[in-house]
């Protein structure tokens, strides 16, 4: 990350100004209540940090701020438009079993017999981490799931149960509890 930051700053002709670095360092000292030289020396010794380490960190922060400020609103909008699907989230529950037939039977119980997904997860799922929570995985991004799983989960509507899929852990059945599409205002700072 540091190398990429330095390369991007160089490519745009940015250089950390000595005064900006000093101002940031003084801001840091103030926030940490290290106004006296002795307090600063003790803090540096306690954290095994040298003056060079602090200077490098301050330079990187100054460059990062310069780069962030140089990105226009139009660039952010364009990037968001191109990568919008990557910001989608889904809140999911899952049941994992070893056998395909068992997975299909559990899927049928949920979708045709209206059995409780969570109770079936507690009773049958081999995933110890999620089974005890009724199969609750939590919120996942597209990047958290790959291939067929991503396509099926993010094509589903809230309340849909995704048919059994083969995964590294076994056969997985997913209940999509909620899906959220984030707006530009929600992620502009992140971008």
């Amino acid at each position: 990350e540091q190398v990429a930051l330095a390369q991007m700053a160089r490519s745009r002709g940015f250089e950390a100004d000595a005064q900006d670095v000093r101002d940031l360092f003084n801001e840091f000292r103030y926030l940490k209540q290290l106004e006296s030289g002795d307090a600063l020396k003790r803090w540096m010794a306690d954290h095994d940090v040298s003056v060079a380490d602090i200077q490098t960190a301050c330079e990187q922060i100054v460059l990062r701020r310069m780069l962030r400020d140089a990105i226009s609103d139009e660039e952010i909008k364009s990037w968001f438009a191109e990568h919008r699907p990557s910001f989608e989230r889904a809140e999911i529950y899952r049941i994992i079993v070893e056998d395909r037939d068992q997975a299909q039977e559990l899927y049928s119980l949920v979708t045709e017999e209206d059995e409780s997904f969570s109770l079936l997860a507690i009773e049958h799922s081999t995933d110890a981490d999620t089974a005890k929570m009724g199969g609750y995985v939590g919120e996942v991004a597209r990047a958290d799931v790959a291939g067929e799983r991503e396509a099926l989960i993010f094509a589903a509507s809230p309340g849909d149960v995704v048919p059994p899929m083969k995964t590294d852990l076994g056969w997985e059945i997913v209940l999509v509890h909620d899906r959220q599409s984030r707006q530009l205002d929600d992620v502009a700072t992140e971008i």
Side-chain angles (χ1 to χ4, degrees), residues 158-178:
D160 286 352
V161 179
V162 176
M165 300 171 277
K166 179 70 172 145
T167 70
D168 293 342
L169 300 173
W171 287 89
E172 178 183 53
I173 308 161
V174 174
L175 167 66
V176 177
H177 178 72
D178 191 22

Side-chain angles (χ1 to χ4, degrees), residues 97 99-108 164 171-173:
V97 293
D99 183 64
R100 180 181 182 185
D101 291 338
Q102 183 184 16
Q104 193 59 49
E105 181 181 334
L106 292 171
Y107 175 74
S108 295
W171 287 89
E172 178 183 53
I173 308 161

Side-chain angles (χ1 to χ4, degrees), residues 126-144:
T126 59
D127 181 9
D129 293 333
T130 61
K132 58 188 168 196
M133 296 184 297
Y136 185 71
V137 173
E139 196 173 272
V140 296
R142 282 185 178 271
D144 298 332

